[in-house]
Amino acid sequence: MTLGYRYLDGAEVYGTEEELGQAIQESGLPRTELFVVTKVHRTGIADIPTALESSLKKLQLDYVDLYLIHAPFWAQSDDELQTAWANMERVKASGKARSIGVSNFLQSHLETILKTATVTPSVNQIEFHPYLQHGNLVPFQEDKGINTMGYSGLVPLTRAKGGPLDPLLSALATKYAVNESEILLRWSLDRGGVTITTSGQESRLAGYLRALTFQLTPQEIQEISEVGQRKHYRAFWRDKFAADDRS
């Protein structure tokens, strides 16, 4: 099943592309007020322009704001990755994807496509939180002009509770009169990346907006980063990495 998502007021809403298309139509919002993102998965890599056309039909849209390659792990050679990226550049040139990027790419994958790319990926969407900071990947992306789009930023609370961050998050939440989840979102924002999150509860999504009402100090950002390095936890793609692989 193909997944898509849309962003509205900083919230990320998941669903099938058909469901999202219906939600967009029912919202009554002008297209210019929506930032619509979807991905090409492994099954569509062989014909990316056709895969995007199929997505646009389901979404009932003429274009998406950002189109991503979901993951690089299907590729058996550098040439396959480079060919896929060339086809992503084709859909951008057509105007049917205003911007193009990748997801779950490692530095080696980015280096491969950059060898032949004429358009630099706008973003690399990666699992990003204090327990998975990816070594040198984020600085590398910043140097190349690739934005880091972090997902699953709440993993230290939702999947890895009981780690070394717990006391620090609790203390900072008290200081700023917010929830611990907002501290984690603020850390990600203050690290300079694009931060996305999701929930099925409207009240929780509204609460996440509190992360926009304050800033952590540079010392607090650094402390969260350093304490986070004491534990490693990867929530997704665990079958692709060794247990201690932090890349």
Side-chain angles (χ1 to χ4, degrees):
M1 180 180 294
T2 302
L3 292 178
Y5 40 90
R6 63 189 175 98
Y7 301 100
L8 182 60
D9 294 332
E12 182 182 57
V13 183
Y14 284 91
T16 66
E17 289 174 325
E18 292 91 342
E19 291 170 340
L20 292 173
Q22 181 178 352
I24 290 170
Q25 296 302 314
E26 292 177 353
S27 73
L29 291 169
R31 176 66 181 87
T32 54
E33 292 188 16
L34 296 173
F35 193 89
V36 182
V37 188
T38 195
K39 298 179 179 180
V40 57
H41 291 250
R42 179 173 184 169
T43 54
I45 283 292
D47 191 346
I48 288 174
T50 297
L52 178 55
E53 288 287 355
S54 176
S55 291
L56 291 173
K57 183 177 180 180
K58 295 171 185 175
L59 292 165
Q60 304 178 60
L61 297 174
D62 296 324
Y63 69 93
V64 293
D65 298 276
L66 177 61
Y67 196 44
L68 304 176
I69 295 177
H70 178 56
F73 306 117
W74 49 267
Q76 299 299 308
S77 68
D78 288 357
D79 182 66
E80 286 184 319
L81 274 179
Q82 291 164 350
T83 297
W85 187 250
N87 285 323
M88 292 290 285
E89 293 180 348
R90 286 175 58 196
V91 299
K92 183 180 188 300
S94 74
K96 294 179 179 180
R98 296 290 176 88
S99 187
I100 52 176
V102 297
S103 184
N104 302 301
F105 273 46
L106 302 179
Q107 182 172 329
S108 60
H109 301 125
L110 293 172
E111 288 172 338
T112 293
I113 63 174
L114 288 173
K115 289 177 183 178
T116 57
T118 61
V119 177
T120 299
S122 296
V123 304
N124 183 18
Q125 185 187 90
I126 55 174
E127 179 182 345
F128 185 67
H129 48 76
Y131 292 155
L132 184 58
Q133 298 180 47
H134 295 280
N136 192 53
L137 178 59
V138 171
F140 171 82
Q141 292 176 172
E142 291 173 349
D143 182 65
K144 299 299 182 182
I146 302 169
N147 290 297
T148 298
M149 179 180 283
Y151 68 82
S152 295
L154 304 184
V155 158
L157 294 174
T158 59
R159 300 193 182 213
K161 194 73 173 172
L165 272 175
D166 287 13
L168 178 57
L169 293 177
S170 178
L172 290 173
T174 299
K175 173 183 175 179
Y176 290 103
V178 297
N179 294 328
E180 294 174 10
S181 58
E182 278 94 72
I183 297 296
L184 284 171
L185 294 175
R186 188 69 245 179
W187 173 83
S188 183
L189 288 168
D190 287 337
R191 287 287 301 265
V194 179
T195 303
I196 57 177
T197 191
T198 183
S199 174
Q201 300 179 26
E202 184 177 354
S203 60
R204 186 170 295 171
L205 288 171
Y208 291 157
L209 295 179
R210 286 195 296 269
L212 304 177
T213 65
F214 70 99
Q215 283 187 299
L216 298 168
T217 67
Q219 293 78 15
E220 289 165 345
I221 297 166
Q222 183 64 25
E223 186 176 8
I224 292 172
S225 300
E226 290 177 352
V227 173
Q229 294 283 13
R230 300 177 193 168
K231 180 182 176 70
H232 170 61
Y233 187 92
R234 186 189 303 273
F236 297 95
W237 302 103
R238 299 175 75 168
D239 60 323
K240 302 296 183 183
F241 299 90
D244 60 348
D245 188 339
R246 300 183 178 221
S247 60

